[in-house]
Amino acid sequence: MLTIYTKGSCLSSRNVRKWLENHHILFKEVNLTTQPISKEEFVELLRFTQFRTQELLSRNSSIYKKLSKRYYFQELTLSELISVVQSYPSLLRKPIVFDGKRLQVGYNEDEMRKFIPRIYRKVKLMS
């Protein structure tokens, strides 16, 4: 099952939701504003990143800039990082799209195509 981690007021989150609906792809939405990411979910996402936290943290956000005066994110232990992210969910980039095998951070329509089931991609290419 595809899971998208979103923020309600985020344009990219709305775009991902709309794209998935337009392509008839079922998904579960986790609104990070109202439901903080669990430790298990965060660790699972980290497993699929290439650059660990750099890929998931919104370094341009005001909360990141504010917290970076208090924390050096690269030196936090995993437990400390999880605690900070759970306390400040706006640290995470949004949307995050994850299906258990592939991870997409942010909205990029071309990159979203990897979430279309293979059988449908083949049919579309043949027509």
Side-chain angles (χ1 to χ4, degrees):
M1 170 62 90
L2 188 68
T3 302
I4 60 172
Y5 298 89
T6 64
K7 179 180 177 184
S9 62
C10 172
L11 178 61
S12 293
S13 294
R14 289 192 306 258
N15 286 339
V16 162
R17 189 180 318 110
K18 183 179 177 182
W19 190 93
L20 292 169
E21 289 168 351
N22 288 343
H23 288 84
H24 310 288
I25 299 174
L26 298 176
F27 61 92
K28 175 181 94 170
E29 183 172 2
V30 177
N31 184 334
L32 293 171
T33 306
T34 58
Q35 182 181 348
I37 193 165
S38 72
K39 174 184 177 181
E40 294 78 16
E41 290 170 313
F42 186 68
V43 169
E44 184 70 5
L45 293 177
L46 280 175
R47 287 184 51 228
F48 284 85
T49 61
Q50 290 181 341
F51 304 108
R52 307 286 288 170
T53 59
Q54 293 179 13
E55 209 167 322
L56 293 176
L57 296 182
S58 178
R59 296 184 309 190
N60 292 330
S61 68
S62 59
I63 192 68
Y64 182 92
K65 291 173 184 173
K66 179 180 176 183
L67 290 175
S68 64
K69 294 174 184 170
R70 188 173 4 162
Y71 302 108
Y72 185 65
F73 285 98
Q74 300 300 331
E75 292 182 1
L76 293 177
T77 66
L78 181 58
S79 296
E80 292 169 334
L81 179 62
I82 290 168
S83 178
V84 171
V85 167
Q86 287 179 323
S87 298
Y88 302 96
S90 60
L91 275 172
L92 291 175
R93 289 181 59 201
K94 292 154 214 67
I96 299 171
V97 183
F98 183 64
D99 70 355
K101 297 178 219 157
R102 294 169 294 238
L103 175 71
Q104 172 69 37
V105 181
Y107 175 68
N108 178 315
E109 186 171 344
D110 292 333
E111 292 292 318
M112 288 298 297
R113 296 187 190 289
K114 67 185 170 190
F115 294 104
I116 297 175
R118 186 175 301 243
I119 188 72
Y120 296 117
R121 288 187 301 219
K122 285 182 180 179
V123 168
K124 189 152 185 134
L125 285 173
M126 295 172 71
S127 42

